[in-house]
Amino acid sequence: MGYVTSLFARKVVAAAGGGIDAAAMLASVGIAPEAPWDPGQMIPAERYYDMLERIADQIDVTDLPVRTGASMRLDEYGALGLAFKAATTLGASYARVERYARLWTSVVEYELRPATGGTLFILHRAGERRLGMRLSNEATLASAVSIARQVCPVPLAPVEVLVRHPAPRSVAAHEAWFGCPVRFGADLDAILYDDETLARPNILGDEGISQYLATHLDAELSELTRAPALVTQAQAAIAQALSEGTPKMAEIARGLGLSARSFHRRLSEHGLSFQGLTEETRRDLAEGLLRDESHSLAEIAFLTGFSEQSAFTRAFKRWMGTTPAAYRKDVSRR
C-alpha cells in the first residue's frame, strides 16, 4: 500500500476553493481539518486519488493541478524543503529530491537523466492511470517547477514538459504556468531543463548547510524504511481482529510483540495513528469485499467490525462519498 504526504491533499483542497466542502474532503482521507499542517502525516495514495476524483465530480479541474503546484512552498516541505533550498545549484536541489523523495511519498520515484537538449527530471509512478493519478502527476510536475523558481536567481522556464496521459480539454493554463510547450501523450512524465539552468547557483545555496541537512535526511530515510513491515503486520492483525469488533491497540501491539506505548510511538514516528490505521484497514477491507459479490452487505458490515449494517453504511459514505450498495454497483459496471 502506497502513501503520500497529507500536505498534497491539503494543498489541492485549498486550491479547489469554495466549490467543494473542504472539511469533508480532508476528513475523507483521514485528515482532521482543524489540525496543524504536518507533512510527516501520511495518507494512502489510493484515498488521495479518490479525493481528487470526487473534487473533479464537483468542479472543473482543468487547471487545478497548475494552481496546486503554484501554491507549493519549500518551507512547507520540512527538512527536504530546506535541503532543496540549501543545495548549491538547481541540479543539486533536484538530486536531493531524487534521493530523498521517499520522505514525501512511497508511490513516486524521481530520476535525473541526461537527454538531447539537457537533462530530464522524470517522475516514475506505477499503477492504473486513473483520473486521480493523472491530476496528481500534473500537480507534481507543476510543484517541481514552483519550488525550482523559489531558489533560482533569475526567471525560470523549462525547455519542455512531458506528460504521458492525454491532454485535458485545454492546455492554455499549463503552458502559461510552465512557460514552455507542454506535450501530452508523451512516453514519460518529465521536465526537460537545459544544462545551464541546472548548473546555475541557487539564491541561498550553502554547501556546509546542505551536507548537514543531507546527514539528517539520511537518518530520516533509514528510519522510514523500517516502517512498512510494522504497518503491514499491524494491518494484517487489525483485519483479522475486525470480525470481533473494533480492535484494541494494546491487543494488536501484544500480538506484534510490542507494548502499547512502543507501538504508539513507532506509528507516530511515521505520521500514523492506531485509530487512523484501523480506519484505513476497514476501508480497504470493505472495498475489497464489496468487489466480491459473494458477500452480502450485512456480512461485510460484520467482517469490518460493525455491529449493524446501518453503522457500516454511514461510515462507508463518510469515507467514499457514496453508499456500499452504490459503490458495488459502480464497480460492477467498470
Side-chain angles (χ1 to χ4, degrees):
M1 179 180 301
Y3 294 86
V4 300
T5 172
S6 59
L7 174 67
F8 297 161
R10 285 190 179 275
K11 282 291 190 176
V12 169
V13 168
I20 64 169
D21 184 335
M25 283 294 176
L26 292 174
S28 73
V29 293
I31 299 173
E34 69 284 353
W37 289 36
D38 176 11
Q41 180 189 1
M42 297 294 167
I43 59 174
E46 291 297 324
R47 304 295 173 202
Y48 176 52
Y49 303 151
D50 289 342
M51 186 195 78
L52 290 171
E53 290 167 6
R54 285 195 294 275
I55 292 174
D57 286 339
Q58 299 177 30
I59 65 170
D60 180 359
V61 296
T62 303
D63 67 347
L64 179 62
V66 171
R67 289 188 282 115
T68 300
S71 73
M72 289 295 183
R73 296 293 176 268
L74 278 170
D75 291 343
E76 297 167 329
Y77 281 93
L80 183 48
L82 294 175
F84 190 98
K85 190 184 297 187
T88 53
T89 66
L90 181 58
S93 293
Y94 277 133
R96 291 286 188 259
V97 175
E98 182 181 34
R99 176 169 174 76
Y100 299 113
R102 180 65 180 79
L103 299 173
W104 291 341
T105 173
S106 66
V107 296
V108 176
E109 293 183 355
Y110 297 92
E111 176 192 358
L112 285 166
R113 181 190 300 175
T116 302
T119 298
L120 289 165
F121 179 66
I122 305 171
L123 181 164
H124 296 289
R125 187 185 324 230
E128 176 193 357
R129 303 189 80 76
R130 52 186 284 193
L131 175 60
M133 181 187 285
R134 298 198 302 269
L135 292 171
S136 180
N137 283 350
E138 291 178 32
T140 300
L141 293 170
S143 300
V145 171
S146 178
I147 60 176
R149 287 173 175 161
Q150 291 166 48
V151 300
C152 190
V154 298
L156 177 147
V159 174
E160 184 179 33
V161 172
L162 310 175
V163 187
R164 283 179 58 189
H165 58 260
R169 60 182 181 81
S170 171
V171 299
H174 295 72
E175 295 197 334
W177 163 251
F178 287 111
C180 68
V182 179
R183 178 154 57 93
F184 286 85
D187 294 332
L188 296 168
D189 292 302
I191 304 165
L192 177 64
Y193 286 106
D194 61 56
D195 292 332
E196 180 183 355
T197 296
L198 291 180
R200 187 173 289 122
N202 288 338
I203 296 171
L204 297 175
D206 185 298
E207 183 62 32
I209 294 175
S210 180
Q211 290 301 321
Y212 168 79
L213 290 169
T215 300
H216 176 75
L217 291 169
D218 281 332
E220 281 195 38
L221 197 61
S222 176
E223 182 66 24
L224 189 64
T225 57
R226 292 198 286 270
L230 172 68
V231 172
T232 300
Q233 292 168 9
Q235 286 183 306
I238 290 168
Q240 290 176 358
L242 278 170
S243 61
E244 299 177 7
T246 303
K248 302 290 191 297
M249 183 171 73
E251 294 173 359
I252 298 298
R254 191 179 307 115
L256 297 173
L258 298 169
S259 68
R261 178 176 294 181
S262 295
F263 184 41
H264 173 77
R265 177 179 54 78
R266 290 186 61 182
L267 287 177
S268 64
E269 284 174 354
H270 302 288
L272 300 171
S273 69
F274 180 73
Q275 181 180 357
L277 195 62
T278 299
E279 189 92 335
E280 176 191 325
T281 304
R282 266 182 158 162
R283 285 193 303 243
D284 285 344
L285 186 58
E287 284 188 75
L289 291 171
L290 283 166
R291 293 189 180 98
D292 180 357
E293 297 202 3
S294 65
H295 295 285
S296 70
L297 296 182
E299 288 173 331
I300 295 173
F302 170 74
L303 291 170
T304 51
F306 292 92
S307 57
E308 297 179 357
Q309 185 178 329
S310 58
F312 168 60
T313 299
R314 288 193 299 272
F316 193 86
K317 192 169 184 180
R318 185 178 74 251
W319 298 332
M320 306 299 295
T322 188
T323 64
Y327 179 86
R328 170 171 273 176
K329 187 174 182 181
D330 182 56
V331 167
S332 68
R333 290 173 177 166
R334 296 176 186 173

